[in-house]
Amino acid sequence: MNLPTGSWTLDPSATKVSFTVKNWLVKTVQGSFSVLAGSAEVADDPAQNSLEVIFDTTSFDTGNGKRDHHVKSDDFLAADRHPQGTFTSSTVTETPDGYRVSGELSVGPGTAPVDFVVVLDEVTDDRAVFQASAAVERRSLGVDRLPNFTVSNDVAITVKGIAERN
């Protein structure tokens, strides 16, 4: 199941970026960011495919206000100076179940390469429901104030949402 060619826009109200990370290597902390905007171009020539997602780093939420405030501070995301994060694709490759989207993730002070696996749950001519997953090393993004035994270096990212064809 693949997307029909054309321009697609993410529905920010129906799209969410979630993450999980181990805290003290025992407890899993879950959190999220709100999506501000996103777009994709699906072309007949796969080399012309592209994707961009913009999310709100000030919306960082784990359900723990004290932790959230600290992570949004200059110790980690510097959300006041970097209120938006982005993912911009460099390559988009069709797979039997959807797409493999490689690109750059920029969050707070850093940028890192990331490969997302995108699975299409439902596709019509003008609407797509999808899930995307990836892993990123927080240190590669400059989020490196805490040692690995306090917070794991590996962060799992999941994006669930809806895109509509323009």
Side-chain angles (χ1 to χ4, degrees), residues 71-148:
V71 172
K72 288 188 262 188
S73 77
D74 285 347
D75 283 350
F76 296 97
L77 298 180
D80 59 334
R81 289 184 289 122
H82 305 281
Q84 294 181 350
T86 59
F87 174 78
T88 304
S89 68
S90 55
T91 62
V92 179
T93 309
E94 291 185 32
T95 67
D97 295 326
Y99 297 88
R100 179 179 182 87
V101 182
S102 300
E104 295 287 326
L105 176 65
S106 296
V107 181
T111 299
V114 177
D115 293 323
F116 278 93
V117 174
V118 180
V119 175
L120 302 170
D121 295 326
E122 175 188 326
V123 176
T124 65
D125 284 342
D126 59 356
R127 184 173 185 266
V129 178
F130 67 91
Q131 294 184 57
S133 58
V136 65
E137 295 180 355
R138 67 175 172 84
R139 290 181 179 274
S140 67
L141 291 167
V143 181
D144 57 2
R145 297 271 179 158
L146 296 173
N148 284 348

